[in-house]
Structures are given as C-alpha cells and as structure tokens.
Amino acid sequence: MAVENNVEDATITQSASTHPIAVNWLTDNSDLLVQYSVNIVSALIILFIGSFVVKSVSKGLINLLEGKRVDTAVVQFIGSLVRYSLLVMVIIAALSRLGVEMASMIAVIASASLAIGLALKGSLSNFAAGVLIVIFRPFKSKDFIEVAGVSGTVQTIEIFHTVLNTGDNKMIAVPNRLVMSKPIVNVSRHKTRRINFEIGVSYQSDLNKTKQVLARVLESDTRILSLPAPTIGVLALTDSSIKIAVRPWVKSEEYWKVYYDTLQAIKEELDKEGIQIPYPQMSVHLNKTSV
C-alpha cells in the first residue's frame, strides 16, 4: 500500500512539474477568465432579451399605427425601419458588454458604412426612394398601379422594394428607386374612371342612327354614370371604317365588369339594327390587256 501511494504521489508531482506554466496561468488569471465568462453570458443575454424586446416594440408600433388607421404599406415600412434600427442598437450594446469601446466601435461603423455605402449604392438609393414614397404617398396599400413596365395591386412598401400582386396572382417586387424614377399610373386614386371605346362602322351606316343605338346601350346600364355624361362622337375616318368614340364614366371598382358587358351589348345591338362593323379588306382589280 505504501508503495502504491508513493507511485501516485510521484505521478501527480511529475504531471504538475510537466505543465507548471499552464497551471500557474490558470491560477493567476482565474479572475480574468471568470470576468470574460460573465461578459460573454451577459452579451448573449442582451442579444436574447434585446431581440425579444425589439420584436415586441415593433409589433406594438405596428398595432398602434393600424389602430390609427395608417395605411398598411406605410405601417410595414415604418415597422421594418424601427425593427432594424433597434436590432443595431442591441448588437452595439452586446459588443460593448464584451469590452469593445464605443469610440472604436463608432469609428469602425463609420468606416464600414462608407465602404458598404459605395458597394451597395443601389440598395441605399432604394432605401431613400422608399422614404420618399412614404412621405409623398403617390399610392397606398390596395391601389392598382402601373410602374416600371409592370402593373398590380400594392401589397406592402418594404425598405428596399415595393411588393405588387398582379391580376393573375403573381408577386412582383419592384425596387423603390425604379418606382420613384419612372412614371406612376395610379388607377385607383380617383373614385370614377372613363372607359374609352372605339367602335368602327361601315361607311354605308347611318351615323345618327348608330349614335342613337350606342346611347341606348349606355342608358340601359345602371352602372354607367349620368354625371359626368357619356360622350359619343365621330373620332376618325379610316381606310375601312368610321371610328366612333364612346366614352362612358363608371365607378373605378366596376371598370372591367362594365367594360366587358358594354362591349358585348354594343355588338349585339348593332347586329339587331343591321349596322355593320367592318373588318379590313383589300379589293384587287384585274385588268385584261391584249398582248
């Protein structure tokens, strides 16, 4: 037994003598290691709690704005902006808990911002354009717009792009800088819209009778507004027909329903009255010549 104890003591003594530097470093810096561990745990706690608080604040702000009946597109933009700003503040707080000095951090952020700004110039212009969209409000949520060669119903205005939903249910994300740099056609801004028909009739048609038939079609549809009054008049004399302009006014939400129904009704009424709608024709005359 005494021999075994002597062997164990010799082993421990040998191990301690083999790594004296490591043992001494751990002993001398135990307080520092504890402090670093506490700082790391504190930073993780700040990140965890901070992200929860940011989510709650952002959601609360969105609910508040929606309660004030602020436009949905604007609400989403402000909510995203506040959320990302608060997340940056949480990350800075966590880094400062790890011992990173604020002055150095600000200098690094400034330098990084300059480099990122040059690299992501398009993204920054999208952000600036998004701010302008929110300020000047050329459209709002649920408006049907045409912009940058696409058209659709506005769903949300994000920080970098505007989300549209097309008539065939496709999502289109248009960069905000394109939205602000291109002409915007807002179909839903006004409560009423004018439908522009161009009806071609043959040169043999009685124009007064034709205009009476067209007026009767418009008067029979209660969805067509009496004020402003519809306009019916000769628009152009083309190669194969006389173009008659028919311009009724309708409520914006009923535009396409009235468009389709009225066009069909015009065709049916003209057929009943024997008024021909011609199509382009080419007459070829052959002259016989003697050789």
Side-chain angles (χ1 to χ4, degrees):
M1 183 66 69
V3 175
E4 292 180 358
N5 290 337
N6 291 334
V7 172
E8 291 178 358
D9 293 339
T11 303
I12 295 173
T13 303
Q14 183 179 1
S15 300
S17 61
T18 305
H19 307 286
I21 298 177
V23 174
N24 293 335
W25 187 89
L26 290 174
T27 304
D28 296 339
N29 297 277
S30 58
D31 295 338
L32 185 61
L33 291 175
V34 172
Q35 183 179 354
Y36 280 156
S37 301
V38 171
N39 290 342
I40 292 173
V41 173
S42 300
L44 294 176
I45 293 175
I46 290 173
L47 288 175
F48 177 77
I49 298 178
S51 54
F52 176 77
V53 172
V54 167
K55 183 177 180 181
S56 300
V57 171
S58 177
K59 186 176 180 180
L61 178 62
I62 291 176
N63 293 335
L64 177 62
L65 294 176
E66 289 178 346
K68 298 291 185 179
R69 297 185 178 180
V70 179
D71 182 58
T72 303
V74 177
V75 170
Q76 294 297 329
F77 181 86
I78 295 176
S80 299
L81 183 60
V82 171
R83 181 170 63 253
Y84 291 127
S85 300
L86 292 178
L87 280 175
V88 171
M89 295 175 63
V90 170
I91 293 173
I92 291 175
L95 291 176
S96 64
R97 191 71 182 92
L98 291 175
V100 180
E101 295 183 1
M102 293 299 298
S104 302
M105 191 183 305
I106 293 174
V108 171
I109 292 175
S111 302
S113 299
L114 178 60
I116 293 173
L118 294 175
L120 302 177
K121 182 171 61 176
S123 298
L124 292 179
S125 63
N126 286 330
F127 173 77
V131 174
L132 294 178
I133 292 174
V134 172
I135 293 174
F136 294 106
R137 302 285 301 281
F139 51 80
K140 62 181 185 297
S141 177
K142 306 306 178 184
D143 279 355
F144 189 91
I145 66 172
E146 299 173 6
V147 64
V150 298
S151 60
T153 303
V154 178
Q155 299 299 309
T156 58
I157 303 173
E158 302 292 345
I159 292 181
F160 299 115
H161 57 263
T162 297
V163 178
L164 305 180
N165 194 51
T166 64
D168 54 351
N169 203 30
K170 292 186 294 186
M171 188 274 285
I172 300 178
V174 184
N176 288 333
R177 59 186 175 85
L178 293 182
V179 175
M180 291 302 295
S181 62
K182 302 292 183 179
I184 302 172
V185 179
N186 191 336
V187 177
S188 306
R189 173 56 63 90
H190 301 297
K191 295 182 179 180
T192 58
R193 289 184 63 189
R194 191 184 71 181
I195 303 177
N196 298 327
F197 293 114
E198 294 182 8
I199 308 300
V201 298
S202 68
Y203 276 91
Q204 290 73 34
S205 302
D206 185 335
L207 292 181
N208 290 327
K209 180 181 178 182
T210 301
K211 292 167 70 175
Q212 291 174 1
V213 172
L214 295 173
R216 186 169 68 244
V217 171
L218 299 183
E219 292 171 357
S220 64
D221 194 333
T222 57
R223 296 171 298 179
I224 294 177
L225 304 176
S226 56
L227 290 175
T231 302
I232 301 175
V234 177
L235 180 65
L237 303 176
T238 64
D239 294 337
S240 59
S241 65
I242 300 175
K243 293 288 186 182
I244 299 180
V246 182
R247 305 286 192 256
W249 288 83
V250 297
K251 294 180 179 179
S252 296
E253 63 270 16
E254 296 179 342
Y255 180 91
W256 287 111
K257 294 180 181 178
V258 177
Y259 183 98
Y260 297 137
D261 294 344
T262 303
L263 198 58
Q264 178 177 342
I266 288 174
K267 173 64 170 62
E268 293 173 350
E269 287 298 316
L270 292 179
D271 288 345
K272 288 180 183 179
E273 298 294 335
I275 300 173
Q276 183 182 5
I277 300 177
Y279 50 87
Q281 302 182 42
M282 178 180 293
S283 298
V284 181
H285 300 276
L286 300 177
N287 296 325
K288 185 177 181 180
T289 59
S290 58
V291 180

